[in-house]
């Protein structure tokens, strides 16, 4: 066989193999993001101008999260937060709107002590999405009701639902979500 014939066979094979490698790489990245972010993957991709832009956003969240010093809570802090949550739940009986506001403050305080920045809801949600994507929808729903209750537009049933939603995220943050970041040197 001549050199030209060999090149005519080898070059297309190399191109096809390169395309397969790129496709596998993209599929692996997509699978990784879906597994890590759970339902937040679809929410972010749907809200972005393209799948690629949504995935870039999720990768940026991962990078930001990796730079944070997220730490597990000491036992004494977990006990204190558990007691505070019990107080908030008891408050719900007589003052449901106040209890929802206090639940929001307690979750924010817990996030802060764990090492999450707590400057604003959207950034909090983005930071939480990396490790807590499966419970993030609870936080979004609770926050929405909390905003309604600020203007006294939330029903008692909505307030009760918000407490349940806050509790889901609270429990996961309190137990480290099963994934505390290793200590850094």
């Amino acid at each position: 066989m001549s050199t030209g014939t060999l090149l005519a066979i080898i070059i297309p094979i190399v191109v096809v193999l390169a395309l397969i490698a790129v496709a596998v790489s993209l599929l692996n990245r997509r699978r990784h993001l879906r597994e890590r972010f759970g339902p937040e993957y679809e929410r972010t991709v749907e809200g972005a101008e393209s799948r690629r832009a949504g995935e870039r956003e999720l990768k940026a969240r991962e990078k930001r999260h990796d730079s944070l010093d997220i730490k597990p809570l000491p036992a004494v802090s977990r006990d204190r937060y558990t007691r505070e949550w019990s107080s908030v739940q008891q408050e719900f009986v007589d003052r449901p709107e106040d209890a929802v506001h206090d639940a929001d403050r307690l979750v924010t305080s817990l996030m802060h002590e764990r090492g999450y920045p707590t400057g604003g809801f959207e950034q909090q949600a983005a930071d939480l999405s990396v490790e807590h994507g499966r419970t993030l929808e609870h936080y979004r729903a609770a926050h929405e009701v909390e905003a309604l209750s600020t203007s006294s537009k939330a029903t008692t049933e909505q307030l009760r639902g918000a407490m349940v939603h806050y509790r889901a995220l609270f429990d996961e943050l309190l137990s480290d979500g099963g994934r505390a970041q290793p200590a850094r040197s």
Side-chain angles (χ1 to χ4, degrees):
M1 255 193 240
S2 71
T3 305
T5 307
L6 281 174
L7 288 176
I9 294 171
I10 293 173
I11 290 175
I13 291 173
V14 169
V15 169
V16 168
L17 290 175
L19 290 174
I20 290 172
V22 167
V24 167
S25 173
L26 289 173
L27 289 174
N28 283 338
R29 181 176 114 174
R30 184 166 294 152
R31 185 171 10 98
H32 162 76
L33 291 172
R34 276 192 171 131
E35 288 172 4
R36 180 139 199 206
F37 286 91
E40 187 66 11
Y41 173 87
E42 292 301 328
R43 185 180 196 287
T44 302
V45 167
E46 286 172 10
E49 56 190 53
S50 69
R51 177 175 297 280
R52 189 174 200 163
E55 289 178 351
R56 270 195 311 270
E57 163 66 21
L58 294 172
K59 291 298 286 178
R61 289 183 193 183
E62 278 185 320
K63 186 175 181 178
R64 174 180 160 79
H65 185 272
D66 290 346
S67 73
L68 300 175
D69 186 20
I70 307 300
K71 55 197 169 287
L73 288 176
V76 68
S77 292
R78 279 196 309 275
D79 293 343
R80 184 184 83 243
Y81 279 107
T82 300
R83 285 191 306 276
E84 289 180 36
W85 182 263
S86 292
S87 294
V88 169
Q89 282 184 297
Q90 290 172 1
E91 176 184 28
F92 185 84
V93 174
D94 296 320
R95 297 186 327 272
E97 283 184 346
D98 291 342
V100 168
H101 295 305
D102 289 343
D104 182 66
R105 280 191 291 274
L106 187 60
V107 166
T108 301
S109 174
L110 176 55
M111 287 172 55
H112 179 73
E113 190 166 338
R114 291 280 318 275
Y116 288 98
T118 54
F121 174 75
E122 288 305 320
Q123 188 60 58
Q124 289 172 331
D127 290 338
L128 286 170
S129 71
V130 178
E131 291 292 330
H132 304 281
R134 299 197 192 299
T135 53
L136 187 57
E137 205 50 44
H138 287 288
Y139 188 43
R140 290 185 193 286
H143 182 75
E144 189 176 303
V145 173
E146 196 265 343
L148 282 174
S149 74
T150 300
S151 56
S152 300
K153 293 182 181 175
T155 67
T156 303
E157 196 54 40
Q158 286 173 314
L159 294 169
R160 187 180 329 281
M163 291 296 289
V164 170
H165 291 307
Y166 276 125
R167 180 63 189 247
L169 180 59
F170 177 83
D171 285 345
E172 188 166 305
L173 286 169
L174 196 65
S175 69
D176 301 331
R179 293 177 291 249
Q181 223 176 2
R184 296 175 192 224
S185 307

